[in-house]
């Protein structure tokens, strides 16, 4: 069947009046993934659902019940006879459930589920414990490294403080030596000034030399 023929058979399929061969061909075509036929089937199914509500309810005749009760009982119809080739075995829209029957949820016992949950919780706890222990070991190593670095820094700081104290003592000694030298220099300057004064006094006490006049030529 061509695509146009299959698309034309969609309304009949939605009404449940399509022959078995054509119905199987249309279902195979729908399973192939034809979007236009799927959309058409959806529209006609929505219309087919509302068809019974448009019918006028007519009460049966009064003598129908008596005729049915007085009629001879027919033998039961077998399953092979009930499914004639002209009557579709599936209702409209049930072909997907027939081809792909819904799977029932697996029956699981409460104990098995509880055991699974407990095992998962234990695995999570073990993982978190291992992770925390690993992080704690790493933190301890980092703390030990920081402590060693702090000790080295404190040792360097102590050495610098000792050097500074030695430099301060040396500077104090140099300052004292400079002050002593300045005091000695001031004392020597005073002594030199006194010697100059004494020398001037001695010069004043010495007699002045006589200057002889030079004869004229």
């Amino acid at each position: 069947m061509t695509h146009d023929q299959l698309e034309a058979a969609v309304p009949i399929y939605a009404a449940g009046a399509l022959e078995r061969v054509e119905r199987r061909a249309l279902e195979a075509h729908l399973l192939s993934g034809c979007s236009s036929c799927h959309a058409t089937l959806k529209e006609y199914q929505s219309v087919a659902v509302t068809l019974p509500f448009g019918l006028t309810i007519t009460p049966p005749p009064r003598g129908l019940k008596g005729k049915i009760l007085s009629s001879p009982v027919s033998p039961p119809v077998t399953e092979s006879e009930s499914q004639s080739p002209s009557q579709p075995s599936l209702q409209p829209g049930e072909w997907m459930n027939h081809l792909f029957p819904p799977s029932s949820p697996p029956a699981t016992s409460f104990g098995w589920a509880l055991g699974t949950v407990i095992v998962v919780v234990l695995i999570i706890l073990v993982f978190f414990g291992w992770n925390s222990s690993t992080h704690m070991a790493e933190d301890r190593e980092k703390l030990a490294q920081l402590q060693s670095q702090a000790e080295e820094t404190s040792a360097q700081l102590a050495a610098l403080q000792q050097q500074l104290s030695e430099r301060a003592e040396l500077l104090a000694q140099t300052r004292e030596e400079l002050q002593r030298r300045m005091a000695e220099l001031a004392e020597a300057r005073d002594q030199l000034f006194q010697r100059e004064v004494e020398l001037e006094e001695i010069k004043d006490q010495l007699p002045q030399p006589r200057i002889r006049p030079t004869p004229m030529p």
Side-chain angles (χ1 to χ4, degrees):
M1 297 178 66
T2 62
H3 181 270
D4 295 336
Q5 293 175 351
L6 292 172
E7 190 173 5
V10 169
I12 305 174
Y13 176 80
L18 193 63
E19 297 293 336
R20 177 176 294 182
V21 178
E22 296 177 353
R23 176 170 53 81
R24 289 181 178 177
L26 180 59
E27 289 175 354
H29 178 66
L30 291 171
L31 287 175
S32 65
C34 181
S35 59
S36 61
C37 291
H38 273 286
T40 306
L41 177 61
K42 187 175 181 180
E43 293 177 359
Y44 279 104
Q45 282 180 346
S46 62
V47 175
V49 171
T50 59
L51 286 178
F53 298 99
L55 300 176
T56 303
I57 300 176
T58 304
R62 295 181 179 180
L64 180 61
K65 183 177 180 181
K67 291 180 180 180
I68 294 174
L69 294 176
S70 61
S71 62
V73 179
S74 59
V77 181
T78 61
E79 184 178 358
S80 59
E81 294 177 355
S82 62
Q83 294 182 354
S84 60
S86 61
Q87 183 179 2
S89 60
L90 297 176
Q91 296 296 327
E94 295 182 354
W95 59 276
M96 288 296 292
N97 294 333
H98 176 69
L99 296 176
F100 302 99
S103 59
S104 59
T108 56
S109 61
F110 177 75
W112 181 84
L114 182 61
T116 304
V117 171
I118 292 174
V119 170
V120 171
V121 171
L122 289 176
I123 292 173
I124 293 173
L125 291 176
V126 169
F127 173 74
F128 277 108
W130 173 79
N131 194 11
S132 61
S133 63
T134 305
H135 285 296
M136 288 178 63
E138 293 178 355
D139 293 338
R140 284 196 294 268
E141 291 179 359
K142 291 180 180 179
L143 183 60
Q145 292 178 359
L146 291 175
Q147 287 179 353
S148 62
Q149 291 178 0
E151 291 176 356
E152 292 178 358
T153 306
S154 61
Q156 293 177 359
L157 183 60
L160 289 175
Q161 288 179 353
Q162 186 176 0
Q163 291 178 2
L164 287 175
S165 61
E166 291 177 356
R167 296 290 177 84
E169 291 178 359
L170 182 61
L171 183 61
Q173 292 177 1
T174 305
R175 187 184 296 111
E176 291 177 358
E177 183 69 19
L178 182 61
Q179 290 177 357
R180 187 175 61 81
R181 293 293 178 86
M182 289 178 66
E184 291 177 356
L185 182 60
E187 185 178 357
R189 187 176 56 191
D190 293 339
Q191 291 178 1
L192 181 61
F193 181 73
Q194 291 178 1
R195 294 294 174 85
E196 288 179 354
V197 171
E198 291 176 357
L199 184 60
E200 290 293 333
E201 290 178 356
I202 292 172
K203 285 181 179 181
D204 292 338
Q205 292 177 2
L206 289 176
Q208 294 293 333
R210 295 179 179 180
I211 300 174
R212 295 179 180 180
T214 56
M216 295 297 293

